[in-house]
């Protein structure tokens, strides 16, 4: 819970001399906020903040980012510790319930998720309706939205049990939905989940096993997948999470809200960046051309941006990118792959970080910069990269959605605007229009 601070901010209308005291609220750590909720009622003015660069939209106890120091905490635990010592389902439990589970709680949670991984058989018909070359994110938006047509018993947002069942279903079914999207694009049969496998192993199995031969699990890849899921599990009020909250604020059911989040994640400025990084590295092709692309990224007349670089909140190294780079080396070494794209990426990072433009603007690699290289090594085509991000982020989205529904101060999200269109004017009949 936030606490009122005894300090206030004063706002003075210079034209009238009217003065308003704005309350200040403190969180646990991080900057305090100026509470402007009564501003319009008292002053007749709105705040104006397109892109929400100075706006806190909600109270949340899930995730904390210190962008200046490059710190990311989930429920107080450092992402580096979670990535090294925990597992994705343990982190999922932590995000959903607020505490790490004890042994019995963990086993019961794993069992519940494992027993919700199958999809309603009729959903298979949905896949057949898509073109084979459909982008898997398009399939994800459609199929996840359609879950609300299949699981009516968990769409009552006012029932805490239904909310929890919807959360379990989403976390459990996302890998199945994602793997089916991939298999559909290849024209291969879908694989049913295997309950003896862990979450990450089962996902790899559903993605890569074929009926013609026995699938041999590579523990290094399973660990890398688990870590990748942990690194993407939640990230406070980013565009897709805010989309989920905004969709949910009207009372929409959780499956529809998560489909909205997937749509928002798809864009190249957000989750689509990992696909864009690989496309960029392929286009650059050789170290000799890096300088040319760094120059393009700095040119204000050129829309090109260095993909996988920069972040709205991190003005330091994204802590997830460090773990991702380490994971990238482990995977490539295990698979015996010497990918020139990794050398190219590291050289890109070196050149960009020596460049005054990137230094001045605190532009560092973000989580997406190295993830594409690992995923490519693991056998994923680039259009599946954002899908993996969506699988991982589902738990963050649904935990944030639950937190919002349980917040007694929750209201429908309804921003206002600065209107710049014409004022009221008379309707002109067509024969009198010039
Ligand atoms: N390449 C070149 N210049 C950049 C870049 C970049 N990747 N990112 C920011 N800048 C410049 C920008 O032009 C601006 O310069 P100036 O002050 O001279 O106008 C300054 O840095 C600040 O940028 P901004 O656009 O105001 O920052 P933002 O917070 O609105 O945007 C961002 C953040 C992530 C959208 C942006 O950095 C970007 O487009 N990066 C590339 C895409 C990317 O990697 N996205 C993944 C983000 S992390 C994972 C996720 O959230 O999904």
């Amino acid at each position: 819970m936030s606490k009122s601070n005894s300090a206030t901010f004063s706002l003075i209308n210079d034209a009238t001399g009217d003065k308003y005291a704005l309350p200040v609220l403190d969180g646990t750590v991080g900057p305090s906020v100026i509470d402007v909720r009564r501003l319009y009622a008292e002053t007749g003015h709105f705040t104006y903040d397109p892109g929400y660069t100075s706006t806190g939209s909600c109270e949340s106890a899930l995730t904390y980012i210190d962008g200046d120091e490059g710190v990311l905490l989930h429920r107080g635990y450092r992402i580096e510790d979670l990535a090294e010592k925990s597992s994705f389902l343990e982190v999922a439990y932590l995000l959903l319930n607020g505490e790490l589970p004890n042994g019995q709680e963990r086993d019961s949670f794993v069992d519940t998720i494992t027993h919700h991984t199958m999809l309603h058989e009729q959903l298979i018909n949905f896949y057949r309706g898509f073109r084979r070359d459909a982008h898997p994110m398009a399939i994800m938006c459609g199929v996840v939205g359609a879950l609300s047509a299949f699981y009516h018993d968990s769409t009552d947002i006012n029932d805490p049990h239904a909310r929890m069942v919807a959360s379990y279903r989403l976390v459990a079914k996302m890998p199945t939905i994602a793997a089916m999207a991939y298999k559909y694009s290849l024209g291969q049969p879908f694989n049913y989940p295997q309950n003896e496998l862990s979450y990450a192993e089962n996902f790899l199995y559903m993605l890569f096993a074929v009926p013609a031969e026995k699938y041999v699990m590579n523990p290094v890849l399973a660990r890398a997948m688990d870590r990748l899921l942990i690194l993407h599990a939640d990230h406070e009020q980013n565009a897709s999470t805010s989309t989920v909250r905004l969709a949910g604020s009207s009372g929409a059911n959780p499956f529809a809200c998560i489909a909205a989040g997937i749509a928002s994640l798809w864009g190249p400025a957000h989750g689509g960046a990992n696909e864009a990084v690989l496309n960029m590295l392929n286009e650059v092709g050789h170290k000799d051309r890096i300088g040319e692309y760094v120059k393009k990224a700095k040119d204000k007349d050129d829309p090109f941006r260095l993909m996988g670089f920069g972040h709205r909140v991190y003005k330091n190294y994204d802590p997830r990118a460090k773990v991702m780079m380490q994971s990238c080396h482990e995977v490539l070494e295990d698979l015996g792959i010497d990918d020139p794209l990794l050398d190219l990426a590291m050289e890109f990072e070196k050149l960009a970080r020596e460049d005054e433009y990137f230094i001045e603007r605190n532009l560092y690699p973000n989580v997406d910069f190295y993830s594409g290289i690992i995923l490519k090594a693991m056998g994923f085509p680039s259009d599946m990269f954002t899908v993996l991000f969506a699988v991982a982020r589902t738990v963050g989205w649904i935990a944030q959605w639950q937190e919002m529904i349980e917040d007694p101060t929750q209201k429908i999200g309804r921003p206002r605007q600065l209107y710049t269109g014409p004022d009221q004017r008379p309707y002109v009949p067509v024969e009198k229009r010039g």
Side-chain angles (χ1 to χ4, degrees):
M1 277 289 279
S2 63
K3 283 190 297 234
S4 287
N5 187 310
S6 53
T8 52
F9 268 68
S10 295
L11 188 69
I12 299 169
N13 181 333
D14 290 333
T16 61
D18 291 339
K19 195 171 163 188
Y20 308 92
L22 299 172
V24 174
L25 301 176
D26 290 336
T28 330
V29 272
S32 303
V33 299
I34 303 170
D35 182 351
V36 296
R37 279 175 291 184
R38 293 206 43 79
L39 191 72
Y40 178 64
E42 287 176 11
T43 69
H45 288 71
F46 298 123
T47 57
Y48 180 62
D49 186 19
Y52 312 125
T53 52
S54 300
T55 296
S57 61
C58 61
E59 248 188 68
S60 181
L62 270 98
T63 293
Y64 172 70
I65 304 174
D66 182 335
D68 295 327
E69 296 298 323
V71 171
L72 168 61
L73 309 177
H74 292 319
R75 304 279 194 191
Y77 296 100
R78 290 169 70 240
I79 191 67
E80 293 89 338
D81 288 341
L82 294 172
E84 191 194 325
K85 299 171 189 162
S86 188
S87 67
F88 176 69
L89 282 187
E90 195 174 69
V91 173
Y93 183 98
L94 173 70
L95 289 169
L96 286 167
N97 297 288
E99 295 296 337
L100 285 168
N102 63 29
Q104 190 250 319
E105 287 163 339
R106 187 197 53 204
D107 294 349
S108 152
F109 182 68
V110 170
D111 188 70
T112 304
I113 297 299
T114 306
H115 287 89
H116 279 88
T117 48
M118 282 176 66
L119 276 192
H120 193 293
E121 196 69 7
Q122 221 177 313
L123 267 164
I124 291 176
N125 297 332
F126 268 76
Y127 288 83
R128 306 214 194 288
F130 286 100
R131 281 170 53 135
R132 289 278 172 194
D133 60 356
H135 195 290
M137 284 298 277
I139 300 182
M140 297 297 288
C141 291
V143 175
V144 174
L147 292 178
S148 45
F150 285 83
Y151 300 103
H152 298 278
D153 58 337
S154 52
T155 53
D156 179 359
I157 66 157
N158 298 313
D159 175 355
H161 177 70
R163 289 202 296 269
M164 198 40 99
V165 173
S167 305
Y168 293 155
R169 282 184 167 145
L170 278 156
V171 173
K173 293 182 199 307
M174 281 298 274
T176 316
I177 295 170
M180 285 169 71
Y182 178 54
K183 286 299 195 191
Y184 183 74
S185 72
L186 296 178
Q188 289 183 5
F190 300 138
N191 288 320
Y192 287 103
Q194 296 293 310
N195 284 0
E196 78 276 10
L197 298 176
S198 74
Y199 190 86
E201 287 172 343
N202 182 45
F203 190 23
L204 289 175
Y205 166 82
M206 289 189 292
L207 287 157
F208 296 121
V210 288
E213 60 191 33
K214 187 171 159 44
Y215 182 70
V216 182
M217 191 62 63
N218 177 333
V220 175
L221 297 196
R223 178 70 194 125
M225 174 54 76
D226 198 60
R227 201 180 284 165
L228 198 123
L229 295 171
I230 294 173
L231 292 179
H232 287 91
D234 191 46
H235 212 228
E236 56 102 315
Q237 307 311 320
N238 54 81
S240 56
T241 303
S242 299
T243 302
V244 170
R245 280 186 177 258
L246 198 56
S249 76
S250 70
N253 76 70
F255 304 108
C257 296
I258 301 302
I262 294 171
S264 169
L265 185 74
W266 193 356
H270 191 10
N274 49 17
E275 183 178 351
V277 170
L278 213 72
N279 294 341
M280 175 186 81
L281 292 174
N282 278 320
E283 191 183 309
V284 175
H286 194 274
K287 285 182 188 172
D288 294 351
R289 298 190 62 205
I290 294 177
E292 184 191 321
Y293 278 80
V294 169
K295 207 165 146 203
K296 262 164 80 65
K298 297 192 294 186
D299 181 355
K300 293 289 169 207
D301 297 325
D302 191 326
F304 174 77
R305 281 192 163 198
L306 200 50
M307 299 315 288
F309 256 77
H311 198 275
R312 170 62 62 80
V313 187
Y314 293 118
K315 300 303 166 200
N316 201 325
Y317 214 102
D318 179 341
R320 302 168 300 169
K322 282 188 195 155
V323 182
M324 200 62 89
M325 186 165 72
Q326 185 198 335
S327 220
C328 193
H329 284 291
E330 279 171 28
V331 167
L332 294 191
E333 196 182 308
D334 181 75
L335 296 176
I337 295 175
D338 183 15
D339 188 343
L341 288 190
L342 178 60
D343 295 337
L344 198 59
M346 291 196 310
E347 190 63 21
F348 235 122
E349 179 185 338
K350 186 166 164 282
L351 272 190
R353 289 185 58 194
E354 284 166 357
D355 193 291
E356 213 40 53
Y357 174 96
F358 290 85
I359 297 169
E360 266 172 20
R361 291 168 179 75
N362 297 313
L363 299 171
Y364 291 84
N366 59 48
V367 69
D368 291 315
F369 196 63
Y370 288 102
S371 63
I373 298 172
I374 308 186
L375 293 172
K376 176 174 168 253
M378 289 168 90
F380 289 99
S382 58
D383 62 3
M384 277 296 289
F385 294 175
T386 314
V387 174
L388 301 188
F389 195 154
V391 169
R393 184 56 58 85
T394 294
V395 69
W397 288 332
I398 201 68
Q400 298 259 0
W401 172 82
Q402 289 235 43
E403 186 181 57
M404 179 194 68
I405 302 282
E406 285 160 18
D407 181 347
T409 66
Q410 188 262 331
K411 283 179 187 298
I412 186 167
R414 188 9 176 132
R416 299 304 296 266
Q417 62 173 6
L418 181 60
Y419 177 69
T420 54
D423 199 353
Q424 199 175 139
R425 51 185 169 162
Y427 179 81
V428 183
V430 68
E431 59 281 6
K432 294 204 174 149
R433 291 177 212 153

